[in-house]
Structures are given as C-alpha cells and as structure tokens.
Amino acid sequence: MRVSIILPTYNRADSLPTAIRSVLNQTHTEFELIVVDDGSTDGTRAVLASHRDSRVRILRHPVNRGVAAARNTGIAAATGDVLAFIDSDDVWDEKKLAFQVALFEQYPAVGAIFSDWSWVTSTQFIKSYVSCLTSLPRILLTAPREGSVFLIDGHTMYNCLLEELPVKPSAFAVRLSTLSQAGRFDETLRSGEDWELFLRLSQSTTWAYIDAPLVTLVVREDATHLRFFCEDKHNLIRILQHERRRCRHRKDAQRAVKKGLVRQYTQLYWFHIARNNRLAAAQHCWNGFLATGAVALLARMLGSFCPCALRKAMKRALLGVARGLQWRRPREETLYHNEAD
C-alpha cells in the first residue's frame, strides 16, 4: 500500500530536517514525501535543496497561503492510496507508518486512523496527550478493541469531536478515497481547519485509534494556533455553532456541542485572565453563558472582578446550584493556568 505523506512548512528551516528525517527513517518504505514550502522567507529552500532522496518531492507557493492551502496542494499532487500528514515541527516514531498501513489492510471499513501523541513545549512534556482528555478516554472504555487498537464508529467519533479534538494531523492518516468523499481542508480557515475536516470525515467512515504515542508534537511559541489563539477559538466556536444547527434534532450531539462550546469559552476566559484582561474574560464568559446556559461560565463572569476569596465562595455556591440541577462541571483546561480552585 503506497502512502503519500504531506509536509507543509513555513519558515521552519531549523526543525524541518528533523521532521523529514523521521519520515525517511520509516520502516514502511513504500511512500512519497511531498513537502509544500508555503512561501518561506528563511533558509527553507536551502534545507530542501540538500535532500537528494528520490522519495522526496518539493512543491512551492510563491506567497504564504496558510496551512490548509499547503495541505490541499499536497493532496492534489498525491499518488498514494493513503494520505498521511506531518507538520514541520513534529517527529514520527519509525514504526508509525507501518502500524497505520497494517490497520488499513486489516480493516477495509476503516477510513481514518489516528494515534496518541506526546506533547512538548519549552516548559512542559506530556507523554500521552490523549490521557489528558475527557471524551475519548470515556469512549475507549466500551469501544471494540484488539490489543492497542480501538475501532470507533463514525457517529461516536462525531460526538467526540464536538466535545474535544483528540486528533492531530501529524498523528492522522486517511484513505484517499475516504478523503475524496468528504472533501479537502477549508482554505478560508487560518486555524481549526483540521477539526472542521475531521467532523466531516466522521460522518462517512469508521475510525481506528492506536493507543500509543507514535508522534511527538513540538509546540513552539510562534505556533499558528498560539499566535492566533483568539481567532482559533472563535473559528472553533463558529464550527460548533454550525454543527449545533445542523444536528438540532439529535439530543446526544446537542449535549456534546454544549460541552465543546463550554470548553472553548473557558479557554478564552483563561487566555485573557493570564493577560490580566478581566473585562474581556468576563465578556467571553457572558457570551458563553448565553450560548450554553452553563452555570460555571456565569460564575466565572461574576467572579472576574471579585477578590479571590469572594470569587471562590461565589463559585462554590453557584456550582452547588448546578449540581442540584444535575449539571456536570466540565473538565478544567490547564493550558493557560495552574490554579487549583
């Protein structure tokens, strides 16, 4: 089974060689690597010129068009049966591709596969990112399993994606025929384009999950989703609102959308709190409360300008009311805060 690996890059001359080397060292050797230079202005061209491997193809955009467009350029040029993706900051385990190809051959009904991944920043290392999530680990308790491989039907995966994003492009592979049916990345989105595509894919195929960190994601301070954090969250909120309208007659999807929206508004809250912008934090909580009715968001809004002790007391009181209404408190996000309360 031939695999087309698509590597979009923009001004990553320092990390690009490591990403390429992790692909060329794969134990599954029937592949092509399509590197799409998305208008880089650093030394990327020289780095790519140094690679003479016949499996490497280089495509270039004259100007930067964004990661969605770069991936779509690679998809259009692909000749494989399977598409895999790797970002230029990330590193694959040498058996990543072989594992996923074997599963595609074993399970003809599976159209998309993803694995767990490790998460590395300048201050943090998480060996298993999926273990930090809420929805997917709950699903895995009852999903059909063979060793470290779990099968997840499209309906269940769709609801999971409404709550959280357990899939990263570098840990993801898809049959070309499955992607052709769902469509390519939305180039109008500067971020969140992967989530939007995964939601579409979940409506047409069965997924497989490999419970092993086969990828190391290296998150730099200038990563797109961090540089455009608020835009990213607003994109995700718009995507979720669209899905909410589209599946308005499905109660399970509505519950999942609500949890997903609470998560996004909460992350916006912590983002602004970390920057001492309490007015913006309160505004996002209010917008989130209006959108979801989540009492926790109202508690955060009311507590944004209160002294710490009063804010904690108010939060406990409102959460007590919420528990009386049988409302489940969402998992706290830890990306931008370390508070225990």
Side-chain angles (χ1 to χ4, degrees), residues 50-86:
S50 67
H51 286 277
R52 304 294 184 183
D53 196 299
S54 61
R55 295 172 294 177
V56 179
R57 298 168 57 192
I58 300 170
L59 306 176
R60 290 189 174 88
H61 290 168
V63 296
N64 180 255
R65 294 171 52 193
V67 67
R71 290 195 186 116
N72 284 344
T73 294
I75 292 169
T79 62
D81 308 297
V82 168
L83 299 176
F85 301 86
I86 180 170

Side-chain angles (χ1 to χ4, degrees), residues 78-94:
T79 62
D81 308 297
V82 168
L83 299 176
F85 301 86
I86 180 170
D87 290 340
S88 51
D89 291 328
D90 301 337
V91 181
W92 279 358
D93 181 276
E94 64 179 6

Side-chain angles (χ1 to χ4, degrees), residues 10-196:
Y10 175 64
N11 287 350
R12 286 290 187 265
D14 55 343
S15 61
L16 183 58
T18 302
I20 292 176
R21 187 162 55 251
S22 77
V23 172
L24 298 181
N25 288 339
Q26 291 295 297
T27 57
H28 179 85
T29 58
E30 190 180 352
F31 67 81
E32 62 177 351
L33 172 59
I34 304 173
V35 181
V36 183
D37 180 2
D38 190 26
S40 295
T41 57
D42 62 352
T44 295
R45 185 181 291 264
V47 169
L48 293 176
S50 67
H51 286 277
R52 304 294 184 183
D53 196 299
S54 61
R55 295 172 294 177
V56 179
R57 298 168 57 192
I58 300 170
L59 306 176
R60 290 189 174 88
H61 290 168
V63 296
N64 180 255
R65 294 171 52 193
V67 67
R71 290 195 186 116
N72 284 344
T73 294
I75 292 169
T79 62
D81 308 297
V82 168
L83 299 176
F85 301 86
I86 180 170
D87 290 340
S88 51
D89 291 328
D90 301 337
V91 181
W92 279 358
D93 181 276
E94 64 179 6
K95 296 181 181 179
K96 185 261 190 191
L97 212 56
F99 205 155
Q100 293 182 323
V101 168
L103 289 181
F104 278 126
E105 293 175 341
Q106 182 178 358
Y107 298 104
V110 168
I113 299 172
F114 68 105
S115 74
D116 196 358
W117 70 91
S118 299
W119 172 280
V120 179
T121 71
S122 59
T123 60
Q124 189 179 32
F125 173 74
I126 298 174
K127 184 176 181 180
S128 168
Y129 194 84
V130 167
S131 67
C132 302
L133 301 177
T134 301
S135 179
L136 182 62
R138 184 175 67 244
I139 289 169
L140 298 181
L141 293 175
T142 57
R145 176 179 184 176
E146 183 175 335
S148 62
V149 178
F150 295 79
L151 300 182
I152 307 173
D153 65 87
H155 179 92
T156 301
M157 190 66 194
Y158 176 75
N159 285 347
C160 177
L161 285 163
L162 291 175
E163 290 191 36
E164 64 192 14
L165 181 57
V167 189
K168 290 296 183 182
S170 292
F172 167 75
V174 62
R175 295 184 194 271
L176 180 58
S177 58
T178 302
L179 185 67
S180 297
Q181 182 180 353
R184 298 178 183 177
F185 291 94
D186 184 346
E187 296 184 18
T188 66
L189 298 174
R190 183 157 53 179
S191 61
E193 77 295 330
D194 50 349
W195 198 352
E196 192 275 336

